[in-house]
Amino acid sequence: MSPADDRIPVYTSAAPPTSSPDELRARIPGWGVDLDLADRPSHPKEQFIPTGAHWDFPERQSEDRPRERSIEHQMLTPVFGTTAPLHGLSGVIRRFAYARFSEARAAHWLLLMAGDRVEVVESRVQSLAAGRPDNPIIETGVKAEAAHDGYAARRDSNRSDVRHQWLDPIIVGWPWLVAGGIGVIALRALRLRRRRS
């Protein structure tokens, strides 16, 4: 596929046709209020300096590892991130969400959220296997609450998170309680098995 064939208006200056500014202004109240540079809050500090960009469609970054993209897009953007490639079961879930469902579908986002939760479990298991297990006392802020008078910070302010703070220990603590319960049950089963053998 040649670069010319790759051209998609959204990535080039050949943008799809749009209404004129006058038509948009008549249809949408307030549209274009900042078209005049002098009306922008950044005036006169804002300056338009030539960027030196000499291309209409930049050279595409090589895709060494398959990256996920929405099915609405024909191809990846010319430049994309590579710092956090998908991996593990969470990666499988995310790839399925991108390959099967449009971004307009709730299933797409629910699967991505499920992938996030699965990755949390994967990272905790990985930390445990590496000999550096998570420390829920410090990482959840429980120690900081006592050491830095967290209650006073909420008592004397209008912070919105005060309204749901009673839920925080439940949301943060239940996975640890479940994991601890499973561990206790497993240890008891192991001891019982040893006694019988």
Side-chain angles (χ1 to χ4, degrees), residues 62-130:
S62 62
E63 187 179 355
D64 299 329
R65 300 179 64 174
R67 283 307 320 249
E68 64 283 3
R69 64 176 173 80
S70 300
I71 57 177
E72 290 92 346
H73 294 266
Q74 181 180 347
M75 63 180 188
L76 281 173
T77 53
V79 179
F80 50 87
T82 58
T83 56
L86 301 184
H87 59 275
L89 179 59
S90 60
V92 172
I93 295 173
R94 287 169 175 149
R95 285 194 188 94
F96 179 72
Y98 277 102
R100 180 69 182 274
F101 297 104
S102 161
E103 290 185 5
R105 299 279 304 275
H108 176 88
W109 300 107
L110 290 173
L111 281 170
L112 291 182
M113 291 170 63
D116 289 345
R117 296 301 90 199
V118 169
E119 185 169 13
V120 169
V121 175
E122 289 176 337
S123 64
R124 287 181 176 162
V125 171
Q126 187 176 8
S127 299
L128 184 63

Side-chain angles (χ1 to χ4, degrees), residues 149-159 162:
D149 200 8
Y151 174 72
R154 291 188 296 274
R155 182 191 59 210
D156 302 327
S157 70
N158 294 323
R159 290 168 41 176
V162 173

